[in-house]
Amino acid sequence: MHYAVTSRGDETSNALQQKIKNYLNEFGLIFDEDEPDIVVTVGGDGTLLQAFHDYAHRLDATCFVGIHTGHLGFYADWMPEEVEKLIIHIAKTPFQVVEYPLLEVVIRHFGDEKSERYLALNECTVKSVEGSLVSNVSIKGELFETFRGDGLCVSTPSGSTAYNKALGGAILHPSLATLQIAEMASINNRVYRTVGSPLVLPQHHTCLLKPLNDVDLQITIDHYSLVHKKVKSIQCRVADEKIRFARFRPFPFWKRVKESFVGD
Ligand code: NAD
């Protein structure tokens, strides 16, 4: 089996990364950063998000497992003390694979035939660089509303516990192939009106955002943030691809939610 180990880059994570490499090499696994069957991330959720984007071109052939060297993460859910146990699992046992849905984002610009396609593990957010975002929101080809406000967040089920949660969105189980649209401070008065609640769309229901004012947009895909000019549309739907996690023990999603947000 071919493997890669990524690190957040701090001293603790780097030391653990080296330890994992040594162990896995001893077990006869092959270190291969280009075409790994499994990627072990050491750091936090951000480290796993980064690894996901680094290997997004080969999701069908790569599994992920995350170790947290800080607080318990949503994706990075193994503790440093469990590393030996995890290594033996990776080296000796055929592991189960759990798949989580992803978000596909296609951005089109005025005066450009080409579109840009991204995959997000957590979410895509759209804000105006200056003033409010004014954008039509269509669902499945039908105009749903004209949004005015700080911005919109379109998240995956596994990303529903991240930015989406801070916006009052629901926590969705990652077995549901859905996307969720959450508002950021919409303007609602006698002139402007939006639905005001987070919306959960099933697979194949595309959400299309069409900005109505000519402003630069700040668009994030997970931890990446880019300013886009002359945006014609941002199309979001549940992606055909999925992320695959290597599972060596049960750690139910709701248990993770409880431990992270409610307490023991
Ligand atoms: P970061 O270091 O600022 O991390 C933000 C926090 O989000 C970390 O504690 C991380 O563990 C947590 N996190 C990441 N994914 C999560 C998930 N799926 N469920 C629960 N918690 C999660 O930035 P980063 O590590 O580069 O992560 C980028 C993410 O930060 C974005 O995808 C976005 O979801 C999140 N974010 C949240 C807010 C907010 O809650 N107001 C604002 C901006 C970004």
Side-chain angles (χ1 to χ4, degrees):
M1 187 159 57
H2 291 214
Y3 77 93
V5 196
T6 68
S7 160
R8 178 165 52 198
D10 57 287
E11 217 174 291
T12 312
S13 304
N14 286 348
L16 201 54
Q17 177 191 34
Q18 192 52 52
K19 188 169 160 181
I20 293 169
K21 267 191 192 177
N22 295 344
Y23 276 140
L24 287 176
N25 289 345
E26 274 174 35
F27 275 112
L29 275 76
I30 299 155
F31 181 68
D32 181 352
E33 279 183 311
D34 296 328
E35 296 188 335
D37 302 304
I38 187 164
V39 176
V40 184
T41 69
V42 186
D45 287 329
T47 321
L48 199 132
L49 283 173
Q50 182 61 49
F52 161 73
H53 285 279
D54 290 344
Y55 293 100
H57 57 285
R58 59 187 321 276
L59 292 176
D60 53 344
T62 302
C63 279
F64 298 86
V65 61
I67 301 170
H68 63 88
T69 46
H71 300 291
L72 167 71
F74 255 80
Y75 300 116
D77 55 13
W78 283 80
M79 293 188 293
E81 301 82 72
E82 300 175 300
V83 155
E84 279 83 1
K85 203 164 88 183
L86 178 62
I87 299 291
I88 293 169
H89 276 309
I90 294 174
K92 299 269 183 205
T93 49
F95 50 80
Q96 265 192 316
V97 170
V98 184
E99 296 186 331
Y100 282 5
L102 298 169
L103 175 70
E104 180 195 76
V105 181
V106 177
I107 304 176
R108 296 187 175 87
H109 296 87
F110 285 107
D112 191 351
E113 289 299 297
K114 287 193 299 274
S115 57
E116 292 164 31
R117 179 180 186 267
Y118 302 92
L119 287 177
L121 175 54
N122 271 351
E123 76 283 287
C124 166
T125 67
V126 181
K127 294 177 197 171
S128 161
V129 166
E130 214 186 299
S132 299
L133 171 73
V134 185
S135 173
N136 276 350
V137 179
S138 298
I139 298 174
K140 240 187 138 198
E142 297 280 332
L143 178 64
F144 182 77
E145 65 183 14
T146 300
F147 176 90
R148 282 176 179 79
D150 282 2
L152 288 163
C153 171
V154 185
S155 60
T156 65
S158 62
S160 68
T161 47
Y163 204 158
N164 166 76
K165 184 175 180 296
L167 298 170
I171 297 182
L172 296 180
H173 194 278
S175 61
L176 302 166
T178 56
L179 62 77
Q180 181 167 191
I181 309 166
E183 298 182 353
M184 296 175 197
S186 56
I187 301 173
N188 270 291
N189 51 35
R190 281 189 298 180
V191 185
Y192 305 131
R193 179 77 36 218
T194 63
V195 68
S197 321
L199 300 178
V200 178
L201 305 193
Q203 215 164 7
H204 308 306
H205 284 206
T206 300
C207 159
L208 191 72
L209 310 180
K210 278 194 174 174
L212 295 179
N213 47 355
D214 182 19
V215 290
D216 297 352
L217 298 184
Q218 183 91 42
I219 302 178
T220 68
I221 304 285
D222 296 336
H223 54 308
Y224 289 111
S225 179
L226 275 179
V227 174
H228 290 255
K229 293 178 187 298
K230 304 255 170 247
V231 176
K232 192 169 155 193
S233 67
I234 302 150
Q235 178 191 299
C236 298
R237 66 176 195 104
V238 177
D240 293 333
E241 299 94 327
K242 292 194 164 198
I243 183 169
R244 301 158 71 238
F245 290 101
R247 186 206 252 175
F248 302 99
R249 60 161 184 215
F251 192 2
F253 179 73
W254 296 121
K255 190 161 188 259
R256 234 175 310 156
V257 172
K258 179 173 181 277
E259 285 185 17
S260 297
F261 299 116
V262 187
D264 302 325

